[in-house]
Amino acid sequence: MKKISLEKTMDQLKMLVVLGVITYIVLVVNKARAGGALTPDYLINLAIGVVVIGLICLLGLKIKEVVPLKIPAFAWASLLGTVLAFPFWPWHAWFLNVTGGVGAGVAGTVILALTGISIGTKLADLKKISWRIAIVSIFVFCGTFFGSAIVAQIIMKVQGII
């Protein structure tokens, strides 16, 4: 069994705090711009939800370090979040209540923005890869777009929406 490094854990925690704070701010601004009421209950529940999701992400990272399987950390975090949301747990309603306000779209946008900034600081490394990265990127973007469209089409047909 691998040991968990305190220094690495602290670095991961710092990054999760930054992501959490930015996600929280974006969610509050979005709610305010949509004309929603920023009640103390909403703000507190949202903060608790962001913290809970951050802790689940941290646990996913730690499980990935310890378990010798080639499963990404986001899969461990997703599995953990799913298990915590099972209806037979006593905390089921509370868990869904506090995490329900944290939209995946907002969190994903924040993560992608920070990824873009991170890549932007490594332009010298990207130049070494040369034009091949552009071709790979086009295939990845197109595959992701069309794959998502196909899945959405199938789900909407099954549900009778279209």
Side-chain angles (χ1 to χ4, degrees):
M1 183 179 276
K2 297 179 186 178
K3 283 190 173 184
I4 295 177
S5 161
L6 182 60
E7 183 178 341
K8 186 174 183 179
T9 302
M10 291 308 293
D11 288 342
Q12 292 167 336
L13 188 59
K14 288 176 194 174
M15 194 61 197
L16 287 170
V17 167
V18 169
L19 289 172
V21 167
I22 293 170
T23 300
Y24 182 81
I25 291 169
V26 169
L27 287 166
V28 169
V29 169
N30 282 349
K31 177 91 169 181
R33 290 188 72 204
L38 297 176
T39 64
D41 283 346
Y42 170 78
L43 296 174
I44 291 169
N45 266 355
L46 185 62
I48 293 170
V50 169
V51 169
V52 167
I53 290 175
L55 291 173
I56 290 170
C57 291
L58 184 62
L59 284 171
L61 290 165
K62 297 294 113 191
I63 292 170
K64 182 189 182 308
E65 287 179 23
V66 174
V67 176
L69 300 173
K70 298 257 185 199
I71 298 175
F74 80 87
W76 287 114
S78 297
L79 178 65
L80 184 59
T82 302
V83 168
L84 289 172
F86 283 163
F88 55 79
W89 296 120
W91 57 77
H92 162 75
W94 175 85
F95 181 78
L96 291 179
N97 183 41
V98 296
T99 59
V102 183
V106 172
T109 303
V110 170
I111 292 168
L112 289 174
L114 289 174
T115 302
I117 292 169
S118 173
I119 289 172
T121 62
K122 296 181 171 70
L123 287 177
D125 294 337
L126 286 176
K127 287 179 185 175
K128 292 177 188 172
I129 298 173
S130 127
W131 59 271
R132 294 180 298 259
I133 192 71
I135 293 172
V136 171
S137 297
I138 289 170
F139 280 107
V140 169
F141 296 150
C142 290
T144 302
F145 175 79
F146 288 116
S148 299
I150 290 168
V151 169
Q153 179 77 18
I154 291 169
I155 290 173
M156 290 170 68
K157 279 254 190 216
V158 168
Q159 292 180 340
I161 296 171
I162 56 172

